[in-house]
Structure formats: structure tokens, C-alpha cells
Amino acid sequence: MKPKLQIALDVVSIKEAQDILSLNNLVDEVDIIEAGTVLLAAEGASAPRRLRETYPTKMLVADFKIADAVNTIGWMLFDAGANLITVIAAADLATVKIAGQLAKKYNQHIQIELYGRWDFDLAKEWFKGGVDHVIYHHSRDASQAWTVSDIEKIKGLIGIGFHVSVTGGLKPEDIEMFRGLEIFSFIVGRSLYEAKDPVEVARAFKQSIDASF
Ligand code: 5RP
């Protein structure tokens, strides 16, 4: 299946997020909506709840990057209508396993956010613990270029069985680098919502995806 295009809404109010999605029907150009970490910090679980009310059938991610207390935080986010919620790679394995069980209960999914230190042995434990998605992430603060070493790590994660999403300062011209890999989604924030014409940029991402997959 072709990779999906996900918009990450790292803005500071639900109104701003809704305005971005509705401007020239940008929402119709993307496959997945993400209530970003910044939006969740500003508005809490109301953000996915309101997005779910407005877009009842769209796939919805709540990117909280949960580190602990996953039963409580995860419950709030799934209950608000999220299909996928994120747990940070640094979380204890116990947290990851509880997250996997919670997702199963809701018939939804957990994504592990790969920041900082992790290895393939740990990734295999996550997979065994019921987590089937990871997000291969270039952090916003580090702002690195994509390299062959990233591609090799992504291949390894796909080899374990994960659905792999890719994110971090992506631009349409970056997409071809991932050609032929089974990528679940490309997650894009600023390149879309800071663009003069977000619809045009979303279409450019889609064209790059069509050309490479
Ligand atoms: C930051 C995130 C962002 O939502 C994601 O990386 C997309 O943002 P951008 O395309 O603006 O880098 O999770 O931690």
C-alpha cells in the first residue's frame, strides 16, 4: 500500500488547527490528522475530541509521546477518538506493554516515537508487547539531514514487522529517498501549515509519493 500523508498540527489552539484543516479544504488532501504534541500541551484531550467530532471518519493520531501513566493518559486519548497514540521510546518496557494491552482493548494502535537511544533488541520487545507501529523521527530541535544510515535503520524496523512512519522537517523532495520501502505514513507539520499555499504543498507531497511508491 502507498504511504499515507499525515498532517501534524503543532499549533497552540484547536481553533488554529481547525482553521488550517478547513482552509481550501486542506483536510481532503491528507489521509491522517495528528493532534500534535504542542496542541495537546495547549488543549489536552479536548483537541482529539473536537477533531474527531469535526472529522468523524478520518484517521486520527494523538501525539502525546507518553512516558508513564499510560493507562490514564492513553484512556483519555483513545476515549477522545484517537486511532493511534504515541509512546516515547524511553518509556519503561512495562509502560509499552500496558500501552499495547490498552490499544488492543480499544481496537486501536500504539506508535513508539524513536527519539534518543534505542536498539533493535528493545524494538523486538516492543513488538512482542503488542506494539505494531513506530515513528522514525528526526527531532525538530536537532534538525538533521536524512542519510543512508536512516534508511538502513528503517529497513531493520520493517524487518521486525513494524508499520514505520517517518517524520521530522520533511519536504516533498525528501520523499524519493525512501523509495521502495514499506512506509506507513509520512508525517508533515511545518512544511504544510507554514506554507503560503498548504494545498499546493500537500499535492506536491502526494505527487512525490506517487512517483516513488
Ligand atoms: C515533533 C513532532 C512533529 O509533529 C513532527 O515531527 C512533524 O513536524 P515537522 O514536519 O514540523 O518537523 O512530532 O516532535
Side-chain angles (χ1 to χ4, degrees):
M1 225 206 284
K2 269 188 203 287
K4 300 179 198 308
L5 180 62
Q6 175 170 328
I7 182 166
L9 295 160
D10 283 301
V11 291
V12 294
S13 72
I14 294 168
K15 183 183 182 315
E16 205 180 330
Q18 299 273 31
D19 287 349
I20 289 166
L21 293 172
S22 59
L23 184 70
N24 298 326
N25 294 323
L26 174 64
V27 67
D28 294 338
E29 308 292 331
V30 301
D31 305 299
I32 308 174
I33 300 170
E34 172 191 316
T37 316
V38 173
L39 181 59
L40 290 167
E43 300 270 19
S46 305
R49 193 172 300 284
R50 292 277 300 283
L51 290 167
R52 175 51 76 223
E53 281 163 11
T54 313
Y55 304 106
T57 58
K58 208 85 177 176
M59 197 179 282
L60 181 63
V61 174
D63 181 21
F64 198 92
K65 302 179 174 60
I66 299 169
D68 199 3
V70 70
N71 252 337
T72 311
I73 300 169
W75 162 74
M76 285 193 278
L77 299 173
F78 280 137
D79 195 60
N83 302 109
L84 297 118
I85 64 173
T86 63
V87 170
I88 194 100
D92 199 277
L93 190 53
T95 300
V96 173
K97 287 180 179 170
I98 294 168
Q101 287 158 11
L102 188 70
K104 200 168 167 195
K105 196 164 129 198
Y106 278 89
N107 204 17
Q108 305 294 358
H109 299 271
I110 301 296
Q111 292 176 300
I112 300 285
E113 282 264 15
L114 300 175
Y115 281 102
R117 292 188 183 81
W118 59 274
D119 60 37
F120 286 103
D121 288 338
L122 182 58
K124 284 176 195 160
E125 293 301 317
W126 297 332
F127 194 73
K128 277 196 243 159
V131 171
D132 58 353
H133 284 253
V134 292
I135 302 178
Y136 192 90
H137 211 132
H138 272 189
S139 99
R140 182 160 164 164
D141 294 340
S143 149
Q144 311 138 272
W146 294 95
T147 66
V148 175
S149 150
D150 294 317
I151 301 298
E152 289 309 311
K153 287 184 195 149
I154 291 168
K155 278 186 189 161
L157 291 161
I158 293 169
I160 292 173
F162 285 109
H163 299 286
V164 180
S165 295
V166 173
T167 191
L170 286 172
K171 305 206 165 35
E173 57 270 25
D174 294 323
I175 300 300
E176 67 175 348
M177 181 148 187
F178 304 91
R179 184 185 293 272
L181 295 176
E182 221 174 292
I183 302 294
F184 177 74
S185 70
F186 289 106
I187 305 171
V188 184
R190 292 160 295 169
S191 296
L192 279 174
Y193 61 73
E194 289 179 358
K196 227 188 235 163
D197 186 343
V199 166
E200 189 181 72
V201 178
R203 288 184 181 157
F205 270 103
K206 284 287 193 184
Q207 276 165 15
S208 299
I209 291 171
D210 285 343
S212 302
F213 294 89

